[in-house]
Amino acid sequence: MRIFAAMQEVVKKPEELSKEAFIHQVLDDYRIAFESRQASLLGRKEVLTGKAKFGIFGDGKEVAQLAMAKVFEKGDWRSGYYRDQTFMFAKGLSDVQKFFAQLYADPSVEKEPASGGRSMNGHFATRLLDEQGNWLSQNDRFNVSADISPTAGQMPRLLGLAVASKLYRENKDLHQFTNFSNKGNEIAFGTIGNASTSEGIFWEVINAANVMQVPMLMSVWDDGYGISVPAKYQTAKENISAILNGFKTDENGLGMEIFTARGWNYAELCNAYKQAADVCREKHTPVLVHVTEVTQPQGHSTSGSHERYKTKDRLQWEIDFDCIAQMRKWIVESGFSTESSLDELEKNATEAVRLAQKAAWNDFASSIKSEVAEFVSVLNSAISAGLSAPIVAESAKNIQEIKDPIRRDIGNALHKCLRETVTFSADLRKPLLDYLVQFNALNGARYSSHLTSESSTNVSNVTEVPAQFNDEVVDGYQVVRACFEANMERDPRIFAFGEDVGKIGDVNQGFSGLQEKFGELRVTDKGIREWSILGEGIGAAMRGLRPIAEIQYLDYLLYALEPMSDDLATMQYRTKGGQKSPVIVRTRGHRLEGIWHSGSPMGMIINAVRGMHVCVPRNMTQAAGMYNTLLRSDEPALVVECLNGYRIKEKLPTNIADFTVPFGKPDVLRFGEDVTLVTYGSCCRIAAEACDMLAEVGIRVELIDVQTLLPFDTNHSIVESVKNTNRVVFLDEDVPGGASAYMMQQVLENQEAYKHLDSKPLTITAKAHRPAYGSDGDYFSKPSADEVFAEIYQMMHEANPTKWPSLY
Ligand SMILES: Cc1ncc(C[n+]2csc(CCOP(=O)(O)OP(=O)(O)O)c2C)c(N)n1
Ligand SMILES: [Mg+2]
């Protein structure tokens, strides 16, 4: 039997597989594919009948995923996209019931473990953390990093997952971390749609994976379209594997292997994946599997129909070459089963899917219904106690009549009752108000928990250790360098990489000499590719390593902002505490020279990365303390060092490896009674200069360095200063309305400092344009001590014109 012989190749131990066992496996695969298809068909119906809001399914991509699943081993990783339900079912990482729970947005992590109802359907993930937020072991699990919606957004993280295997294999000091890796034998599997390969990051990652030679097995599901746009508008020559041919392995063994297989041909796919995985795992080279001739039977998603943009011929071809129909045909022709047995299998599979869907719906609906019942009983007991407004009885009646209530219905009814009983006594309304507290707490946890880590090793749990000094004074860069050296000695999982980080130890020497000391695997040069450098950090940190990913200048962080914003910052939230990636993003910025080397777009950044921490140290000592805090915690952060601070002298802490700077705790740099001046980063020095000038005219400024923008002044200490001074100024070198406006909102609104103001609150910022080049460019673009003096003097003049006569 020719097919049997060929197929034997694709199982791990062919000699142990009898023909019966083989046939059993094929039929089991067919069942999984068929169930998956039924889930897609039923899923679409559930959306169209209004039980779910949006659906995107893996129909047409089933058989290729069975083949991929066969070679996916414990310890391996997937970073993929929304079509991969069949893979998830085949590995037992999800099932039809969970699939529907996600479609309905069931907020229970038990029912919907990928995201606890936070992500739309088709966003897959396994739980990497226990309920306390600690790592589970990865080496005895199939690991799925949590999907995100931006097309190709899975690519940067995928690179990091693959790079981790290389590090675990080649750095012997990491072999002890057996919970994470078996000496780097793990493959990182990527999946992507054909059209998404048009994104720049796809190319950046493919190139980087080839440069570094990492075990990344990339699958492209090629259905010829990206929503309605066909390949001719997407891909040169309409063939992604053909145009990637230049990457093909050369005579030196460098490059990547490229396989193609047709999406409806089970045997061809199984063989391709077997070969692909073998070479990837053993040789640690990237591999591409281009799966062609894939279909999309129901069109792209529930948002539209593909009849609008596919020709009749194409639609007919998709029916003829439907992978499940073809697999069935192959099974019958090969004599592995009969038409009638397969009919029976399909009937059972259809029924199983229907039952699983029903169970998911019942779980979802019944938990809401029991909350509705509880709400109704609260309303009824309020009525019995004398809350006689008609709206209360009406609400109890109406909400019970809603066929499929959601929690918003409870919220709407509750708020309406509260509005319409406002004239009743507090006693009578108490049950409703108590219920409101409970309702908000419950749903707050459901929908707003885990923005950041809630584990015992999050940054707020790191013990504060003050820096100690003797008289040793060094250049600023030597402080951070000493900090990195000490931490790298302590923990072999720490490694740093970026443009010019390796040989020269970064452009400002923060790692100078450390490559010689720790080797190229731990202090490493990278290509100019910020987006995927960030991704390397994300993926490697998910695998238990402690990457310090360097972006050379803050101005170039924009290239890396997508993975920070979409992937890193959302990771805890989008998995409801199921995954984490404690990567440190190191960069340097604020004022130096010219439009692209002195930006400080902190408002843009902090608004894009809620879920990360953002540290803005005023000098290298504070930066080192922040690194020490981060390297003892499990959270991701951005640290922006002051670009003009590396040559400024600082005292070298004697406990450089151990002192920590707490996050969300501002530092009062000088005390004063007249004005509170709030700032951070390089502006601390400008502010201090202005404070000296203001002191000369009798204006006493309380100068506060916030230190971290995220979190911001956790204990609300700034308002305490404002209570004393009754005046507040926010200074930074972002654009007007940038991070200064954020600080103002935090202090005036959140801390209620508005109650204590005697003068209009003020922001002093850079100009709206990018900073011009040269010292004069800086002077006229960025806030200067002259300007800070003038603004604060004017404030005091308005308060007491006699004491401080008009300056201008
Ligand atoms: C960055 C980004 N741009 C646009 C979209 C909207 N979008 C979602 S899926 C899709 C098409 C993707 O096509 P392809 O990669 O071929 O995958 P397929 O859906 O065909 O499997 C688009 C444009 C998106 N999610 N992200
Ligand atoms: Mg496509």
PDB file of all heavy atoms in Angstrom, residues 61 81-83 192-196 221-227 229 296 300, ligand 2:
ATOM      1  N   LYS A  61      -9.362  25.604   6.123  1.00  0.00           N
ATOM      2  CA  LYS A  61      -7.955  25.470   6.532  1.00  0.00           C
ATOM      3  C   LYS A  61      -7.759  24.258   7.444  1.00  0.00           C
ATOM      4  O   LYS A  61      -6.736  24.135   8.121  1.00  0.00           O
ATOM      5  CB  LYS A  61      -7.497  26.728   7.281  1.00  0.00           C
ATOM      6  CG  LYS A  61      -7.107  27.905   6.387  1.00  0.00           C
ATOM      7  CD  LYS A  61      -8.194  28.892   6.166  1.00  0.00           C
ATOM      8  CE  LYS A  61      -7.791  29.998   5.209  1.00  0.00           C
ATOM      9  NZ  LYS A  61      -8.964  30.733   4.701  1.00  0.00           N
ATOM     10  N   TYR A  81      -2.803  32.992  14.018  1.00  0.00           N
ATOM     11  CA  TYR A  81      -3.927  33.915  13.827  1.00  0.00           C
ATOM     12  C   TYR A  81      -5.249  33.171  13.844  1.00  0.00           C
ATOM     13  O   TYR A  81      -5.306  31.979  14.083  1.00  0.00           O
ATOM     14  CB  TYR A  81      -3.691  34.785  12.601  1.00  0.00           C
ATOM     15  CG  TYR A  81      -4.011  34.172  11.248  1.00  0.00           C
ATOM     16  CD1 TYR A  81      -4.992  34.734  10.441  1.00  0.00           C
ATOM     17  CD2 TYR A  81      -3.342  33.048  10.788  1.00  0.00           C
ATOM     18  CE1 TYR A  81      -5.295  34.207   9.199  1.00  0.00           C
ATOM     19  CE2 TYR A  81      -3.651  32.512   9.554  1.00  0.00           C
ATOM     20  CZ  TYR A  81      -4.621  33.091   8.759  1.00  0.00           C
ATOM     21  OH  TYR A  81      -4.917  32.564   7.541  1.00  0.00           O
ATOM     22  N   TYR A  82      -6.304  33.897  13.516  1.00  0.00           N
ATOM     23  CA  TYR A  82      -7.663  33.467  13.816  1.00  0.00           C
ATOM     24  C   TYR A  82      -8.201  32.260  13.060  1.00  0.00           C
ATOM     25  O   TYR A  82      -9.338  31.876  13.278  1.00  0.00           O
ATOM     26  CB  TYR A  82      -8.616  34.656  13.587  1.00  0.00           C
ATOM     27  CG  TYR A  82      -8.390  35.354  12.261  1.00  0.00           C
ATOM     28  CD1 TYR A  82      -8.906  34.840  11.071  1.00  0.00           C
ATOM     29  CD2 TYR A  82      -7.601  36.503  12.194  1.00  0.00           C
ATOM     30  CE1 TYR A  82      -8.668  35.464   9.855  1.00  0.00           C
ATOM     31  CE2 TYR A  82      -7.345  37.132  10.976  1.00  0.00           C
ATOM     32  CZ  TYR A  82      -7.878  36.621   9.824  1.00  0.00           C
ATOM     33  OH  TYR A  82      -7.630  37.230   8.619  1.00  0.00           O
ATOM     34  N   ARG A  83      -7.417  31.662  12.157  1.00  0.00           N
ATOM     35  CA  ARG A  83      -7.966  30.532  11.401  1.00  0.00           C
ATOM     36  C   ARG A  83      -7.650  29.183  12.046  1.00  0.00           C
ATOM     37  O   ARG A  83      -7.969  28.150  11.456  1.00  0.00           O
ATOM     38  CB  ARG A  83      -7.392  30.525   9.983  1.00  0.00           C
ATOM     39  CG  ARG A  83      -7.675  31.754   9.144  1.00  0.00           C
ATOM     40  CD  ARG A  83      -9.110  31.840   8.712  1.00  0.00           C
ATOM     41  NE  ARG A  83      -9.319  33.017   7.875  1.00  0.00           N
ATOM     42  CZ  ARG A  83     -10.494  33.635   7.725  1.00  0.00           C
ATOM     43  NH1 ARG A  83     -11.564  33.182   8.362  1.00  0.00           N
ATOM     44  NH2 ARG A  83     -10.598  34.677   6.952  1.00  0.00           N
ATOM     45  N   ILE A 192       0.153  32.316   9.289  1.00  0.00           N
ATOM     46  CA  ILE A 192      -0.238  33.634   8.763  1.00  0.00           C
ATOM     47  C   ILE A 192      -1.058  33.417   7.489  1.00  0.00           C
ATOM     48  O   ILE A 192      -0.872  32.402   6.796  1.00  0.00           O
ATOM     49  CB  ILE A 192       1.018  34.500   8.487  1.00  0.00           C
ATOM     50  CG1 ILE A 192       0.636  35.972   8.295  1.00  0.00           C
ATOM     51  CG2 ILE A 192       1.806  33.984   7.280  1.00  0.00           C
ATOM     52  CD1 ILE A 192       1.824  36.932   8.336  1.00  0.00           C
ATOM     53  N   GLY A 193      -1.932  34.341   7.201  1.00  0.00           N
ATOM     54  CA  GLY A 193      -2.679  34.295   5.941  1.00  0.00           C
ATOM     55  C   GLY A 193      -1.820  34.821   4.812  1.00  0.00           C
ATOM     56  O   GLY A 193      -0.899  35.615   5.026  1.00  0.00           O
ATOM     57  N   ASN A 194      -2.125  34.396   3.594  1.00  0.00           N
ATOM     58  CA  ASN A 194      -1.316  34.830   2.457  1.00  0.00           C
ATOM     59  C   ASN A 194      -1.255  36.352   2.335  1.00  0.00           C
ATOM     60  O   ASN A 194      -0.195  36.935   2.097  1.00  0.00           O
ATOM     61  CB  ASN A 194      -1.884  34.237   1.154  1.00  0.00           C
ATOM     62  CG  ASN A 194      -3.336  34.640   0.952  1.00  0.00           C
ATOM     63  OD1 ASN A 194      -4.179  34.283   1.771  1.00  0.00           O
ATOM     64  ND2 ASN A 194      -3.618  35.377  -0.090  1.00  0.00           N
ATOM     65  N   ALA A 195      -2.379  37.013   2.508  1.00  0.00           N
ATOM     66  CA  ALA A 195      -2.397  38.457   2.275  1.00  0.00           C
ATOM     67  C   ALA A 195      -1.593  39.200   3.334  1.00  0.00           C
ATOM     68  O   ALA A 195      -0.978  40.231   3.054  1.00  0.00           O
ATOM     69  CB  ALA A 195      -3.830  38.971   2.248  1.00  0.00           C
ATOM     70  N   SER A 196      -1.581  38.656   4.534  1.00  0.00           N
ATOM     71  CA  SER A 196      -0.854  39.338   5.612  1.00  0.00           C
ATOM     72  C   SER A 196       0.653  39.291   5.408  1.00  0.00           C
ATOM     73  O   SER A 196       1.391  40.015   6.074  1.00  0.00           O
ATOM     74  CB  SER A 196      -1.217  38.728   6.967  1.00  0.00           C
ATOM     75  OG  SER A 196      -2.605  38.846   7.163  1.00  0.00           O
ATOM     76  N   TRP A 221      -1.172  30.046   5.160  1.00  0.00           N
ATOM     77  CA  TRP A 221      -2.423  29.463   4.645  1.00  0.00           C
ATOM     78  C   TRP A 221      -2.842  30.352   3.465  1.00  0.00           C
ATOM     79  O   TRP A 221      -3.318  31.469   3.665  1.00  0.00           O
ATOM     80  CB  TRP A 221      -3.541  29.470   5.690  1.00  0.00           C
ATOM     81  CG  TRP A 221      -3.279  28.910   7.068  1.00  0.00           C
ATOM     82  CD1 TRP A 221      -3.805  29.382   8.222  1.00  0.00           C
ATOM     83  CD2 TRP A 221      -2.516  27.745   7.447  1.00  0.00           C
ATOM     84  NE1 TRP A 221      -3.414  28.620   9.300  1.00  0.00           N
ATOM     85  CE2 TRP A 221      -2.611  27.609   8.857  1.00  0.00           C
ATOM     86  CE3 TRP A 221      -1.749  26.808   6.745  1.00  0.00           C
ATOM     87  CZ2 TRP A 221      -1.972  26.590   9.562  1.00  0.00           C
ATOM     88  CZ3 TRP A 221      -1.110  25.789   7.459  1.00  0.00           C
ATOM     89  CH2 TRP A 221      -1.234  25.694   8.833  1.00  0.00           C
ATOM     90  N   ASP A 222      -2.671  29.838   2.263  1.00  0.00           N
ATOM     91  CA  ASP A 222      -2.876  30.674   1.071  1.00  0.00           C
ATOM     92  C   ASP A 222      -4.221  30.360   0.409  1.00  0.00           C
ATOM     93  O   ASP A 222      -4.337  29.425  -0.385  1.00  0.00           O
ATOM     94  CB  ASP A 222      -1.711  30.446   0.089  1.00  0.00           C
ATOM     95  CG  ASP A 222      -1.731  31.443  -1.054  1.00  0.00           C
ATOM     96  OD1 ASP A 222      -2.753  32.139  -1.227  1.00  0.00           O
ATOM     97  OD2 ASP A 222      -0.721  31.523  -1.781  1.00  0.00           O
ATOM     98  N   ASP A 223      -5.198  31.189   0.739  1.00  0.00           N
ATOM     99  CA  ASP A 223      -6.512  31.020   0.114  1.00  0.00           C
ATOM    100  C   ASP A 223      -6.732  32.034  -1.010  1.00  0.00           C
ATOM    101  O   ASP A 223      -7.848  32.253  -1.469  1.00  0.00           O
ATOM    102  CB  ASP A 223      -7.632  31.128   1.160  1.00  0.00           C
ATOM    103  CG  ASP A 223      -7.625  32.452   1.892  1.00  0.00           C
ATOM    104  OD1 ASP A 223      -6.956  33.396   1.430  1.00  0.00           O
ATOM    105  OD2 ASP A 223      -8.299  32.561   2.933  1.00  0.00           O
ATOM    106  N   GLY A 224      -5.638  32.681  -1.408  1.00  0.00           N
ATOM    107  CA  GLY A 224      -5.718  33.555  -2.577  1.00  0.00           C
ATOM    108  C   GLY A 224      -6.302  34.928  -2.319  1.00  0.00           C
ATOM    109  O   GLY A 224      -6.286  35.788  -3.204  1.00  0.00           O
ATOM    110  N   TYR A 225      -6.789  35.159  -1.126  1.00  0.00           N
ATOM    111  CA  TYR A 225      -7.441  36.438  -0.838  1.00  0.00           C
ATOM    112  C   TYR A 225      -7.045  36.978   0.534  1.00  0.00           C
ATOM    113  O   TYR A 225      -6.655  36.223   1.428  1.00  0.00           O
ATOM    114  CB  TYR A 225      -8.982  36.263  -0.824  1.00  0.00           C
ATOM    115  CG  TYR A 225      -9.561  36.066  -2.197  1.00  0.00           C
ATOM    116  CD1 TYR A 225      -9.586  34.796  -2.761  1.00  0.00           C
ATOM    117  CD2 TYR A 225     -10.058  37.140  -2.931  1.00  0.00           C
ATOM    118  CE1 TYR A 225     -10.096  34.597  -4.042  1.00  0.00           C
ATOM    119  CE2 TYR A 225     -10.574  36.960  -4.205  1.00  0.00           C
ATOM    120  CZ  TYR A 225     -10.594  35.681  -4.753  1.00  0.00           C
ATOM    121  OH  TYR A 225     -11.091  35.496  -6.013  1.00  0.00           O
ATOM    122  N   GLY A 226      -7.197  38.287   0.704  1.00  0.00           N
ATOM    123  CA  GLY A 226      -7.210  38.931   2.011  1.00  0.00           C
ATOM    124  C   GLY A 226      -8.512  39.713   2.043  1.00  0.00           C
ATOM    125  O   GLY A 226      -8.647  40.706   1.337  1.00  0.00           O
ATOM    126  N   ILE A 227      -9.483  39.216   2.754  1.00  0.00           N
ATOM    127  CA  ILE A 227     -10.888  39.616   2.636  1.00  0.00           C
ATOM    128  C   ILE A 227     -11.251  39.572   1.136  1.00  0.00           C
ATOM    129  O   ILE A 227     -11.254  38.464   0.587  1.00  0.00           O
ATOM    130  CB  ILE A 227     -11.187  40.981   3.296  1.00  0.00           C
ATOM    131  CG1 ILE A 227     -10.654  40.989   4.780  1.00  0.00           C
ATOM    132  CG2 ILE A 227     -12.721  41.200   3.354  1.00  0.00           C
ATOM    133  CD1 ILE A 227     -11.043  42.225   5.589  1.00  0.00           C
ATOM    134  N   VAL A 229      -9.598  41.149  -1.391  1.00  0.00           N
ATOM    135  CA  VAL A 229      -8.520  41.556  -2.306  1.00  0.00           C
ATOM    136  C   VAL A 229      -7.681  40.346  -2.722  1.00  0.00           C
ATOM    137  O   VAL A 229      -7.050  39.700  -1.881  1.00  0.00           O
ATOM    138  CB  VAL A 229      -7.623  42.631  -1.642  1.00  0.00           C
ATOM    139  CG1 VAL A 229      -6.542  43.088  -2.609  1.00  0.00           C
ATOM    140  CG2 VAL A 229      -8.461  43.814  -1.172  1.00  0.00           C
ATOM    141  N   GLN A 296     -11.986  29.041   1.337  1.00  0.00           N
ATOM    142  CA  GLN A 296     -12.647  29.787   2.418  1.00  0.00           C
ATOM    143  C   GLN A 296     -14.161  29.661   2.173  1.00  0.00           C
ATOM    144  O   GLN A 296     -14.786  30.603   1.678  1.00  0.00           O
ATOM    145  CB  GLN A 296     -12.199  31.242   2.320  1.00  0.00           C
ATOM    146  CG  GLN A 296     -12.242  31.980   3.625  1.00  0.00           C
ATOM    147  CD  GLN A 296     -11.656  33.372   3.467  1.00  0.00           C
ATOM    148  OE1 GLN A 296     -12.266  34.256   2.916  1.00  0.00           O
ATOM    149  NE2 GLN A 296     -10.448  33.551   3.967  1.00  0.00           N
ATOM    150  N   HIS A 300     -14.807  35.473   4.238  1.00  0.00           N
ATOM    151  CA  HIS A 300     -13.842  35.932   5.231  1.00  0.00           C
ATOM    152  C   HIS A 300     -14.355  35.865   6.671  1.00  0.00           C
ATOM    153  O   HIS A 300     -13.708  35.351   7.568  1.00  0.00           O
ATOM    154  CB  HIS A 300     -13.415  37.363   4.906  1.00  0.00           C
ATOM    155  CG  HIS A 300     -12.510  37.948   5.932  1.00  0.00           C
ATOM    156  ND1 HIS A 300     -11.179  37.601   6.018  1.00  0.00           N
ATOM    157  CD2 HIS A 300     -12.732  38.812   6.942  1.00  0.00           C
ATOM    158  CE1 HIS A 300     -10.628  38.244   7.034  1.00  0.00           C
ATOM    159  NE2 HIS A 300     -11.549  38.982   7.609  1.00  0.00           N
TER     160      HIS A 300
HETATM  161 MG    MG B   2      -6.020  34.832   2.690  1.00  0.00          MG
END
